[in-house]
Amino acid sequence: MPDTELHCKIDEGQFSLAMFLSRLLTGLTLLYVTAGCLLFYREFLYNLTALRVPFSVPAGFVLVVAELFCALFLILGWYTRVAAAVGFLCSCACAWAFFAGDLNKMFAAFCVLLATPLLTVALLGPGRISLDFKHAQRRYTKRMRG
């Protein structure tokens, strides 16, 4: 049987646009979740205390701030892979605390809905429409100049 070479031709512009839209919508979703945690901060911190998380108030503050920065980094495309991976972990921890450890259908749906775009961005990278790409271009041209 002869070997066939199959290649997937990807339009770089369309791929970058798709990754930008994925990052944008995922970042906006993370901002929405962070706003929910901030608007209902008493319940959020009470749930952390009820779940016996050590240092519940500082831990809750760190979780929400980390999720906020991950959302902003995703939207801008800065440290995209790290922001996506950390954003996934923070969003799971915030959802666990927000729903007081109750693994109900909303929590499962939330994790599945955010897992898909966050892990896609973490694996594939930001694309051309990002600060990571601009930074890589600057480093490359600086290195080539000598």
Side-chain angles (χ1 to χ4, degrees), residues 99-117:
F99 295 117
D102 183 20
L103 296 176
N104 59 15
K105 291 179 183 176
M106 283 182 69
F107 175 69
F110 172 75
C111 288
V112 169
L113 287 174
L114 275 179
T116 305

Side-chain angles (χ1 to χ4, degrees), residues 44 56-69 90 94:
F44 180 71
S56 58
V57 174
F61 180 73
V62 167
L63 270 176
V64 171
V65 168
E67 191 172 36
L68 175 69
F69 276 101
C90 286
C94 282

Side-chain angles (χ1 to χ4, degrees), residues 8-18 128:
C8 179
K9 295 185 180 182
I10 297 174
D11 182 10
E12 181 67 34
Q14 295 298 321
F15 172 77
S16 292
L17 181 62
R128 288 181 181 257

Side-chain angles (χ1 to χ4, degrees), residues 3-85:
D3 290 333
T4 58
E5 290 189 28
L6 297 175
H7 297 284
C8 179
K9 295 185 180 182
I10 297 174
D11 182 10
E12 181 67 34
Q14 295 298 321
F15 172 77
S16 292
L17 181 62
M19 291 311 296
F20 170 71
L21 290 175
S22 178
R23 286 186 298 110
L24 177 69
L25 295 175
T26 305
L28 291 174
T29 303
L30 282 177
L31 283 177
Y32 175 76
V33 171
T34 303
C37 290
L38 289 173
L39 289 174
F40 299 102
Y41 71 93
R42 287 184 182 154
E43 291 85 2
F44 180 71
L45 295 176
Y46 177 77
N47 290 343
L48 281 174
T49 306
L51 291 168
R52 296 188 177 150
V53 173
F55 306 107
S56 58
V57 174
F61 180 73
V62 167
L63 270 176
V64 171
V65 168
E67 191 172 36
L68 175 69
F69 276 101
C70 287
L72 294 176
F73 282 8
L74 275 175
I75 292 170
L76 294 174
W78 187 245
Y79 294 105
T80 308
R81 292 180 182 205
V82 175

